[in-house]
Amino acid sequence: WSVSLFFRSIVRATFLPVTIIGRENIIDQGAVFVANHQSALDIPFLGYVVGVKPHVWLFLKKYTRYPLFGFVARRMNVVVDPTRLRALVGSIDQARALV
């Protein structure tokens, strides 16, 4: 709930008119949403669309080296280390267990 509020606040702070069409088509089962990162707002907008439905974020390990960002990322996301195959597979298993 708090993460949904956070994303909603960011989207509203942009003062951009946002219309979501097809939110009712988001299923309650496992699905993959992929952001193409065309802007820094991809993640907040995707989080805004998903809302309070259960979801898991995958987060690259290299971003955990930033103190505050890393602290939040390790607690809210599944951290993925693409440089080690065994760790990568473990991250996928961890994400699957959370959904």
Side-chain angles (χ1 to χ4, degrees):
W1 177 85
S2 61
V3 174
S4 177
L5 177 64
F6 173 72
F7 288 136
R8 196 168 47 245
S9 300
I10 289 175
V11 170
R12 289 193 176 145
T14 66
F15 296 107
L16 296 171
V18 177
T19 303
I20 300 172
I21 299 171
R23 181 181 265 171
E24 66 278 0
N25 296 321
I26 298 176
I27 61 176
D28 289 328
Q29 298 172 354
V32 176
F33 297 94
V34 180
N36 61 8
H37 299 300
Q38 290 294 312
S39 79
L41 294 174
D42 284 359
I43 299 302
F45 276 107
L46 186 57
Y48 178 73
V49 169
V50 173
V52 295
K53 289 188 180 281
H55 59 279
V56 176
W57 294 95
L58 300 179
F59 192 86
L60 287 176
K61 183 180 178 182
K62 68 180 180 179
Y63 295 117
T64 61
R65 62 181 166 217
Y66 303 106
L68 182 60
F69 204 50
F71 177 81
V72 172
R74 284 188 293 274
R75 282 152 184 78
M76 292 177 47
N77 305 286
V78 173
V79 178
V80 177
D81 182 0
T83 62
R84 296 179 31 234
L85 182 60
R86 189 173 289 255
L88 182 61
V89 172
S91 298
I92 293 169
D93 287 342
Q94 183 183 1
R96 190 179 322 153
L98 293 173
V99 175

